[in-house]
């Protein structure tokens, strides 16, 4: 069996055995549900059959949901010493990182699948733009992947789960808010570059139903970079 | 699989944890790694198992350097790390199956392998429990089982018997000895009788350097080439006996252990034995020789000699 899948399976089993998965799913669906249907910019006020409101909420909920998944991924292994066990087995550092990444990504996808009833309900209420909705889901998945890679990196640079959690949220806030804010207030090339790195801009166009290669490549690059950095940090444990 | 270690050095900052050591271990050999805390035993083991990267010197396993072949070589190594880290949230059976899968044991043979390890390591009654419900001794067995599950040619065991009760220690030693016939085993320990009981060869390491290498018998010889006898002679006056013993040409040093019972410890001149001469002396004088025991240098003494400087 491929070592990546072996690690993914163990991590997923551990999520569900320890109830972490259930608790996080309930919290994710709870927050998304409340803010989509009951309060805030809720769906009934907009007068449009669209999941735009849900997408705008979900990106913020993911900002907290993903770090809670990733915080223990590497930090806990370092603290308990099990990292030594993994790194001396026939697994490369890259397979290890990808295995853990996939476990988190699958859980994010499961969480998103549970919101499909929203889609079905809204589509029965009116004329929903199916293309835009699926695009939005794709955007959420890509953004989730980027969050996971950032979270794994945060988890790899410490052996304390709380520090990993807080760091991951901080990095997330930088990508969600700080870059865009600073970028808009700076003139010229630097300002443009920083604004370009902002998560929300890229997600926004996807949620409107526009799949631009630029946006997809952007999220995939952030993901790849995060995973690569995690791999590098794990490799440095060997020195 | 033979392991050849060449001029291996490992630095942590300025400090050298392992300092230019070289040795070789052959298939079918059980090597005991001895040394005080912080001597570099664990570091050496981490380098062999490729948890730490080799930067200076080299480790050649089966003709291949760990530099560049680490990923293929890891499959042939079973490793029990020092503090026996385990996924405590997993059940014993799941954990062993996970380790087997990671070590690329073919999927259809995993259940058999797991069953075999459970039997071999005496985990039958505990196999459905989660690891965090197990006592330290059973956790140690799980650690051993995960190290051996893929039937590795090389076993690296860092203090394999810590936390085990005396019966378990005997069982595990027996297990290691059995396995050691076909495998290359390196084990580290603080318990000196354990090395004597289990290992074919002993390597004593201190401050990152090898200070002794050989079987326990050769180490004894090296440490003290002189014969020491404990002798009890009855029917003789203490002082007369003492003087007479001193006049025997093979004796060098005589200690009176017990004046009332005439017990002496006699050290012979290097490469000579006093046994026959003492017997002859007693026969001549009509004394009764009630005890004559050759005292062996204890491994503890050798260890202390070599590592306290």
């Amino acid at each position: 069996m491929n070592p990546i899948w072996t690690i993914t399976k163990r991590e997923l089993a551990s999520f569900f055995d320890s109830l972490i998965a259930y608790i996080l799913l309930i919290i994710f669906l709870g927050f998304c549900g409340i803010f989509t249907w009951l309060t805030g910019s809720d769906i009934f006020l907009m007068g449009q059959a669209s999941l735009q409101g849900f997408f705008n909420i979900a990106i913020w909920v993911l900002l907290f949901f993903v770090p809670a998944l990733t915080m223990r991924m590497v930090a806990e292994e370092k603290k308990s010493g099990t990292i030594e066990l993994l790194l001396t087995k026939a697994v490369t550092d890259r397979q290890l990182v990808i295995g853990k990444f996939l476990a988190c990504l699958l859980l994010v996808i499961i969480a998103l699948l549970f919101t499909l009833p929203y889609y079905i309900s809204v589509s029965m209420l009116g004329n929903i733009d199916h293309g835009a909705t699926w695009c939005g889901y794709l955007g959420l998945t890509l953004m989730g992947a980027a969050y996971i890679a950032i979270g794994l990196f945060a988890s790899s640079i410490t052996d304390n789960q709380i520090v990993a959690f807080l760091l991951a949220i901080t990095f997330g806030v930088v990508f969600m808010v700080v870059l865009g804010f600073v970028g808009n207030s700076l003139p010229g090339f630097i300002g443009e570059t920083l604004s370009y790195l902002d998560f929300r801009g890229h997600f926004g166009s996807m949620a409107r139903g526009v799949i631009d290669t630029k946006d997809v490549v952007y999220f995939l690059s952030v993901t790849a970079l995060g995973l690569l950095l995690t791999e590098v940090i794990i490799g440095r444990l060997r020195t | 699989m033979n392991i050849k270690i060449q001029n291996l050095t490992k630095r942590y900052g300025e400090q050298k944890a392992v300092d230019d050591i070289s040795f070789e271990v052959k298939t079918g050999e059980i090597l005991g790694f001895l040394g005080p805390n912080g001597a570099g035993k664990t570091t050496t083991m981490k380098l062999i198992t490729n948890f730490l990267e080799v930067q200076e010197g080299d480790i050649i396993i089966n003709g291949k350097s760990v530099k560049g072949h680490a990923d293929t070589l890891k499959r042939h190594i079973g490793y029990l790390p020092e503090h026996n880290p385990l996924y405590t949230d997993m059940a014993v059976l799941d954990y062993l199956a996970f380790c087997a899968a990671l070590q690329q044991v073919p999927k259809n043979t995993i259940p058999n392998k797991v069953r075999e390890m459970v039997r071999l390591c005496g985990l039958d009654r505990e196999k459905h429990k989660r690891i965090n419900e197990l006592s330290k001794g059973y956790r140690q067995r799980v650690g051993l089982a995960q190290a051996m599950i893929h039937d590795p040619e090389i076993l690296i065991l860092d203090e394999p018997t810590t936390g085990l009760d005396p019966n378990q220690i005997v069982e595990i030693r027996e297990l290691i000895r059995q396995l050691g016939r076909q495998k290359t085993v390196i084990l580290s320990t603080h318990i000196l009788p354990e090395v004597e009981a289990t290992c074919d060869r002993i390597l004593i390491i201190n401050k990152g350097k090898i200070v002794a290498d050989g079987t326990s018998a050769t180490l004894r010889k090296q440490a003290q080439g002189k014969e020491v006898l404990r002798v009890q002679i009855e029917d003789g006056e203490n002082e007369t006996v003492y003087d007479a013993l001193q006049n025997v040409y093979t004796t060098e040093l005589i200690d009176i252990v017990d004046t009332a019972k005439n017990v002496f410890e006699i050290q012979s001149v290097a490469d000579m034995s006093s046994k026959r001469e003492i017997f002859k002396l007693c026969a001549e004088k009509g004394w009764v020789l009630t005890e004559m025991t050759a005292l062996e240098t204890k491994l503890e003494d050798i260890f202390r000699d070599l590592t306290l400087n």
Side-chain angles (χ1 to χ4, degrees):
Chain A
M1 205 183 339
N2 191 314
I4 295 178
W5 182 235
T6 308
I7 288 168
T8 304
K9 254 179 34 187
R10 194 205 88 79
E11 294 295 345
L12 272 181
S14 152
F15 276 144
F16 285 97
D17 282 350
S18 62
L19 301 181
I20 294 177
Y22 301 103
I23 294 169
L24 284 175
L25 285 175
I26 289 168
I27 293 175
F28 178 77
L29 294 172
F31 271 101
C32 289
I34 289 171
F35 288 108
T36 306
W37 299 96
L38 302 176
T39 175
S41 62
D42 74 74
I43 250 162
F44 302 110
L45 275 178
M46 290 207 302
Q48 262 182 355
S50 152
L51 280 181
Q52 196 72 42
F54 159 66
F55 292 143
N56 288 336
I57 292 301
I59 53 173
W60 290 102
V61 181
L62 279 180
L63 177 65
F64 294 91
F65 175 81
V66 170
L69 286 179
T70 55
M71 64 179 190
R72 52 175 272 285
M73 280 291 163
V74 188
E76 175 66 15
E77 304 259 14
K78 276 162 77 175
K79 188 161 204 162
S80 68
T82 43
I83 192 90
E84 189 171 352
L85 216 63
L86 284 180
L87 294 184
T88 51
K89 300 240 182 276
V91 187
T92 62
D93 297 0
R94 181 162 298 171
Q95 288 169 332
L96 178 67
V97 174
I98 295 177
K100 286 179 178 282
F101 168 77
L102 284 181
C104 296
L105 187 64
L106 281 176
L107 203 67
V108 168
I109 291 174
I110 292 170
L112 293 177
L113 286 178
F114 276 115
T115 65
L116 284 183
Y118 299 2
Y119 173 41
I120 297 164
S121 314
V122 174
S123 70
M124 290 198 300
L125 293 174
N127 243 339
I128 194 168
D129 182 344
H130 293 286
T133 311
W134 285 116
C135 257
Y137 271 110
L138 177 68
L140 276 184
T141 312
L142 285 173
M143 200 157 153
Y147 274 144
I148 293 167
I150 292 169
L152 283 178
F153 169 67
S155 181
S156 69
I157 55 181
T158 172
D159 54 10
N160 184 316
Q161 293 190 38
I162 313 260
V163 173
F165 179 72
L166 294 176
L167 270 179
I169 290 182
T170 311
F171 292 148
V173 168
V174 168
F175 276 102
M176 284 290 281
V177 184
V178 180
L179 284 178
F181 181 76
V182 177
N184 284 336
S185 48
L186 282 178
F189 177 72
I190 301 174
E192 274 174 38
T193 315
L194 290 181
S195 311
Y196 176 77
L197 292 176
D198 181 54
F199 267 16
R200 278 189 295 170
H202 292 281
F203 178 73
S205 52
M206 291 190 85
R208 282 192 304 274
V210 186
I211 296 189
D212 191 335
T213 338
K214 211 171 62 187
D215 301 323
V216 176
V217 169
Y218 168 75
F219 282 122
L220 291 180
S221 314
V222 173
T223 310
L225 188 68
L227 295 180
L228 204 66
L229 284 175
T230 312
E231 188 188 333
V232 170
I233 300 284
I234 289 179
R236 286 189 54 175
L237 291 175
R238 295 184 186 278
T239 57
Chain B
M1 277 188 166
N2 297 351
I3 307 175
K4 198 171 178 183
I5 286 163
Q6 295 172 330
N7 307 96
L8 190 67
T9 299
K10 171 75 195 167
R11 290 167 213 265
Y12 288 113
E14 285 293 293
Q15 207 184 3
K16 282 181 181 171
V18 174
D19 190 358
D20 195 29
I21 63 169
S22 304
F23 63 90
E24 211 172 321
V25 200
K26 296 203 166 64
T27 310
E29 198 170 27
I30 304 179
L31 178 77
F33 225 31
L34 275 179
N37 291 319
K41 302 181 298 269
T42 297
T43 306
T44 310
M45 292 185 146
K46 283 181 175 172
L47 286 162
I48 299 173
T49 54
N50 202 54
F51 178 57
L52 292 176
E53 213 172 52
V54 177
Q55 281 155 341
E56 290 173 62
D58 207 349
I59 298 174
I60 316 275
I61 297 173
N62 212 21
K64 282 184 191 159
S65 164
V66 291
K67 295 176 188 167
H69 295 97
D71 289 323
T72 43
L73 288 173
K74 280 197 279 190
R75 202 181 298 180
H76 304 287
I77 300 177
Y79 177 40
L80 172 67
E82 191 180 12
H83 299 295
N84 188 21
L86 298 164
Y87 288 111
T88 48
D89 56 334
M90 288 177 97
V92 174
L93 288 179
D94 294 344
Y95 176 70
L96 292 179
F98 168 68
C99 290
L102 274 188
Q103 289 290 29
Q104 328 262 309
V105 175
K107 201 179 174 186
N108 51 345
T109 61
I110 289 178
N112 275 332
K113 276 276 158 204
V114 170
R115 224 171 293 140
E116 189 189 331
M117 280 302 130
V118 163
R119 188 185 52 76
L120 204 63
C121 296
L123 284 163
D124 202 44
R125 277 174 49 199
E126 317 288 327
K127 65 185 172 196
H128 294 295
K129 286 190 185 164
R130 278 183 184 220
I131 293 172
N132 57 13
E133 293 166 17
L134 300 183
S135 68
K136 196 170 176 208
Y138 277 106
R139 287 187 194 198
Q140 195 70 14
R141 289 166 184 235
V142 176
L144 275 168
Q146 68 78 24
M148 300 184 301
I149 193 143
H150 55 298
D151 200 15
E153 279 111 321
I154 294 170
L155 264 180
I156 311 282
L157 309 171
D158 204 346
E159 301 187 13
T161 53
T162 38
L164 301 181
D165 67 42
N167 295 335
Q168 291 173 333
I169 289 180
V170 172
E171 282 171 35
I172 295 296
R173 276 184 197 161
E174 187 51 43
L175 183 65
I176 293 173
R177 253 201 312 257
Q178 268 175 32
L179 291 167
R181 286 190 203 124
Q182 303 107 35
K183 297 184 196 300
T184 316
V185 182
I186 300 182
L187 66 90
S188 79
T189 178
H190 290 298
I191 309 160
L192 297 168
E194 175 159 302
V195 199
E196 287 202 275
T198 331
C199 303
D200 308 316
R201 201 173 122 210
I202 299 172
L203 205 79
I204 301 181
I205 175 171
N206 188 33
K207 294 180 186 154
K209 286 185 190 293
I210 294 175
V211 289
D213 182 357
T215 62
S216 56
T218 51
L219 285 190
R220 281 210 181 84
K221 229 176 191 170
Q222 270 173 23
Q224 203 167 33
K226 295 166 184 171
E227 181 194 71
V228 180
L229 295 174
R230 185 188 162 94
V231 169
Q232 185 177 8
I233 295 170
E234 284 176 15
D235 298 349
E237 207 46 46
N238 188 273
E239 270 174 41
T240 353
V241 176
Y242 182 80
D243 289 340
L245 284 172
Q246 245 173 354
N247 288 333
V248 175
Y249 72 100
T250 55
T251 63
E252 189 179 75
L253 206 79
I254 296 170
D255 272 338
I256 304 174
V257 180
D258 191 331
T259 330
K261 289 184 180 163
N262 274 1
V263 181
F264 305 92
E265 265 185 27
I266 301 160
Q267 190 181 317
S268 308
V269 179
D271 299 325
M272 287 221 203
S273 172
S274 314
K275 288 176 191 160
R276 298 178 72 90
E277 295 305 320
I278 293 170
F279 180 77
K280 274 190 208 159
L281 177 76
C282 293
E284 228 170 70
K285 306 268 185 190
W287 296 331
V288 179
L289 188 58
T290 50
E291 183 190 348
M292 176 145 72
T293 324
L295 295 181
E296 286 195 314
T297 323
K298 282 190 209 132
L299 201 55
E300 271 91 347
D301 298 332
I302 302 173
F303 182 79
R304 228 173 281 135
D305 269 2
L306 291 167
T307 55
L308 281 181
N309 42 39

